[in-house]
Amino acid sequence: MLGPVPHSLARHTGLLAVLLGALSCGDTPRAVFENVTDSAGLDVVLTCGEPGAKATILEVNGNGIALLDVDGDDDLDVFLVDGSTRARLLAGEGIAHHLFLNVGAARGQLRFERADVQLPLSRGWPTGVAVADVDSDGRPDLLLGGLGEDTLLLNRSSEAGLAFESRALPPSPGSTSWTTSVALADADGDGLLDAYLTRYLDIDPADPPIGAVDGLPCRFKERGVMCGPHGLHPQPDVFLRGVASPEFFVLDSERSDLRVPTPAYGLGVLFQDLDLDGWPDLYVANDSVANFLFRNLGDGRFEERARAAGAANDSAGRPQAGMGVDAADADGDGDLDLIVTNFSEESNALYRHEGKLLYRDRAIPTGLAASSRALLGWGVHLAELTGDGVVDVLFSNGHVYPEADGPDTGTSYAQPLVLLPGLGKERFDRNAFGDDSAHRGRGSVLGDLDGDGDLDLIALTLDGRPRVYRNTTDAPERQLLVSLQGAAPAHPDALGASLRVRTAAGWQVVSRRSSSGFQSVSDPRLHIAGPAPVLEAEVIWPGGARESLPPDDLRFGSWCRVRQGAGVISHELLEKTTR
């Protein structure tokens, strides 16, 4: 299988098209995504440090993005987490985030408009975001992580208009903690959501290391670059126990028995029931050190077992620089596999679930290694994007060093998005994204933005506006959206539940979760695609109850709502997009 030609090589030689044509076999896969950024309406440039040269590690990770139905009209709105600069941070300036309402899906179009709402200002330097109904009032709330302050935004919207209330999370505001990604789940089955805060490293924004750490120069390919994470002190992650209003969260890591083995440079987190026993486990992608896998023992206590599970390092036992993480059934065998994006000259990792929470890195035999080694990945998705019933891989890429554009680096600062269509039996086709232009990619989200059932894409760009892509599959009859409603009052939004569906193409397993990828939140509805009809289906609810669904009740070409104990309670037909 052909891996991508480094963008720097293509730029310097002008031979990208020639090389791809000469080295590929067979027809190029049909482009899946169409760039509709100019007409989508997300006209905002997010801040993450000063544009251009990035002097410190504070400025390279990018922003967060969330898809959620903020106004209760059954389509997906967009929340964009803005960042800061060192000067604004030191001056104590508040950060204004951005909320855009979906005004196109009801007409089969992909279009957003800025919401008429005064969002609470954030303090510090915000980064990642998670979404869930924290106060069980039927409205999605937002949890924001960042440097200096972590914040809960409670959705107080009503018929009178949109409104949010801000609550600072423990520890107290003004600390030097740096939370990158956040995730929510009910870890102990008490009906209250708990939070995991992935922490990065110690840094003084007023005096960050520039050029050297402890007298040692910071270098990449013999070039001076920004410093970190090596040489800087990692921070331990934080687990917050859910409690009733008005606190909602308390610092209680000891009672949960969730003890991080050692502080690490945490970047990506997934609160996900990986072994499908009804209890949410945790997977953390760490930068330059081994990843974490915390198995939930069934009562909110956790056991860290990434090394024993085979999901800590690459296939040679080496730690990688993990960024984003996702989970789905990549090989159609009915369980959940893991994918992690990594640094350039490392490959992205694809951990195949061998059963009993044991994994094997299959990046090399599946061809994922060849397609990702020259790239530096951030946002990542295991999802069905082409309508054939086989899970595909999508990752967003961009280097951390502007100096990567220099000669003989084998990589580049701006990089293309990559979509590898699944071929079944752990094989992936060549890049079929459809837009080979390079960007400084970071986090990304998937969701049905225009109401036709397939998954569209929003990809964030460092120092640029979000890029919006419409999925061109245009086959609603091959799409199935499912919303899960759990047993109230404990789990009204069924966070942590998983849906297993078998078609003629094999199994697909999708889960209801608060965040995934890198610092981001995709569509809360569960998406299945492929050949009709459904042959088998079951839901694994929070706590472990399994409910089989009559296959005829899950109809392709519709959006189905499933209530725990009552099965499918409604259908809504999907329609083709109007361009």
Side-chain angles (χ1 to χ4, degrees):
M1 207 184 79
L2 175 66
V5 177
H7 184 69
S8 56
L9 174 63
R11 185 184 66 247
H12 292 310
T13 66
L15 294 179
L16 178 60
V18 175
L19 287 171
L20 287 173
L23 297 178
S24 60
C25 300
D27 295 332
T28 300
R30 183 178 70 87
V32 176
F33 286 96
E34 173 192 10
N35 192 331
V36 294
T37 301
D38 289 341
S39 61
L42 298 184
D43 296 325
V44 60
V45 175
L46 300 177
T47 301
C48 186
E50 297 295 341
K54 301 298 182 182
T56 73
I57 198 170
L58 288 166
E59 305 170 83
V60 303
N61 288 351
N63 308 84
I65 176 173
L67 299 180
L68 71 164
D69 181 7
V70 73
D71 52 2
D73 63 354
D74 287 341
D75 54 29
L76 292 177
D77 309 304
V78 177
F79 185 92
L80 295 166
V81 180
D82 215 340
S84 191
T85 65
R86 286 178 57 210
R88 292 175 61 187
L89 180 67
L90 295 174
E93 290 187 21
I95 306 302
H97 304 297
H98 311 275
L99 179 62
F100 288 83
L101 299 183
N102 193 324
V103 296
R107 303 189 300 272
Q109 299 173 350
L110 206 164
R111 176 73 184 173
F112 299 92
E113 290 182 358
R114 187 178 288 274
D116 183 15
V117 59
Q118 187 70 40
L119 294 170
L121 297 179
S122 288
R123 301 298 170 184
W125 191 318
T127 54
V129 58
V131 173
D133 185 4
V134 173
D135 54 3
S136 298
D137 66 352
R139 295 183 292 255
D141 309 301
L142 297 116
L143 187 68
L144 305 181
L147 175 69
E149 181 176 294
D150 304 312
T151 307
L152 174 65
L153 291 184
L154 292 166
N155 189 343
R156 301 305 194 197
S157 302
S158 66
E159 292 183 357
L162 299 172
F164 290 85
E165 176 187 348
S166 178
R167 303 278 186 90
L169 269 63
S172 61
S175 71
T176 58
S177 60
W178 183 355
T179 299
T180 51
S181 295
V182 292
L184 294 157
D186 181 4
D188 54 5
D190 65 354
L192 300 168
L193 295 183
D194 310 299
Y196 191 87
L197 312 180
T198 308
R199 293 277 169 83
Y200 200 37
L201 51 80
D202 292 333
I203 192 167
D204 180 359
D207 187 26
I210 296 178
V213 175
D214 295 332
L216 297 176
C218 303
R219 310 284 288 176
F220 170 74
K221 303 289 186 180
E222 306 305 320
R223 296 165 173 84
V225 294
M226 65 86 184
C227 296
H230 294 291
L232 304 181
H233 295 288
Q235 293 185 350
D237 297 344
V238 172
F239 183 83
L240 298 179
R241 174 72 57 191
V243 295
S245 175
E247 289 86 5
F248 292 108
F249 298 101
V250 295
L251 185 62
D252 192 15
S253 295
E254 292 302 312
R255 191 169 70 86
S256 73
D257 199 31
L258 198 163
R259 298 180 178 88
V260 175
T262 182
Y265 306 114
L267 285 177
V269 62
L270 196 64
F271 223 149
Q272 167 87 51
D273 179 12
L274 294 171
D275 52 5
L276 301 180
D277 65 353
W279 294 94
D281 310 296
L282 272 159
Y283 189 85
V284 182
N286 291 319
D287 187 358
S288 305
V289 295
N291 299 326
F292 298 149
L293 193 163
F294 294 98
R295 177 174 177 260
N296 193 322
L297 300 180
D299 55 3
R301 294 179 300 115
F302 291 86
E303 171 191 40
E304 204 291 313
R305 51 169 299 152
R307 293 183 187 274
N313 303 307
D314 69 9
S315 57
R318 296 167 299 205
Q320 296 178 289
M323 310 292 180
V325 57
D326 197 13
D329 187 0
D331 52 5
D333 64 351
D335 57 20
L336 286 166
D337 309 299
L338 286 162
I339 190 167
V340 181
T341 48
N342 292 304
F343 204 79
S344 61
E345 298 187 4
E346 302 172 345
S347 75
N348 294 342
L350 179 61
Y351 296 108
R352 183 184 188 274
H353 196 168
E354 305 277 299
K356 298 182 179 179
L357 219 59
L358 297 174
Y359 296 88
R360 179 175 297 179
D361 184 6
R362 302 287 292 170
I364 293 176
T366 59
L368 183 64
S371 296
S372 60
R373 197 173 300 278
L375 304 173
L376 196 160
W378 299 88
V380 61
H381 307 277
L382 278 177
E384 212 297 338
L385 298 171
T386 59
D388 62 359
V390 180
V391 168
D392 313 302
V393 174
L394 188 151
F395 42 98
S396 177
N397 310 289
H399 219 284
V400 296
Y401 303 132
E403 296 81 4
D405 276 338
D408 303 321
T409 65
T411 185
S412 59
Y413 189 38
Q415 298 177 359
L417 286 149
V418 172
L419 167 64
L420 306 178
L423 298 173
K425 297 182 179 179
E426 291 191 286
R427 295 180 301 122
F428 296 97
D429 208 341
R430 289 156 292 123
N431 189 8
F433 187 79
D435 177 1
D436 61 1
S437 58
H439 302 268
R440 299 173 296 276
R442 291 300 187 264
S444 56
V445 290
L446 291 174
D448 178 18
L449 304 178
D450 52 12
D452 64 354
D454 55 28
L455 298 181
D456 309 297
L457 170 71
I458 304 177
L460 298 186
T461 298
L462 193 65
D463 300 333
R465 62 175 176 163
R467 290 169 291 151
V468 185
Y469 294 90
R470 189 183 73 85
N471 190 315
T472 62
T473 300
D474 289 335
E477 69 279 3
R478 299 180 71 84
Q479 315 294 329
L480 170 63
L481 292 177
V482 179
S483 291
L484 299 179
Q485 300 175 14
H491 300 285
D493 61 359
L495 193 68
S498 295
L499 172 67
R500 300 174 73 243
V501 171
R502 185 172 68 88
T503 70
W507 286 97
Q508 294 177 59
V509 183
V510 287
S511 302
R512 175 73 177 92
R513 54 205 179 189
S514 66
S515 61
S516 62
F518 181 71
Q519 299 185 166
S520 300
V521 185
S522 288
D523 197 332
R525 299 167 296 185
L526 307 184
H527 174 260
I528 300 291
V534 170
L535 302 177
E536 292 182 67
E538 72 165 349
V539 180
I540 303 165
W541 296 100
R546 290 176 176 255
E547 181 176 355
S548 295
L549 302 176
D552 291 344
D553 287 354
L554 289 175
R555 305 168 191 167
F556 280 94
S558 66
W559 173 11
C560 302
R561 300 176 191 266
V562 176
R563 181 179 297 156
Q564 187 171 0
V568 178
I569 59 173
S570 69
H571 299 87
E572 180 179 326
L573 293 179
L574 303 169
E575 297 182 5
K576 285 194 175 184
T577 298
T578 300
R579 300 196 189 186

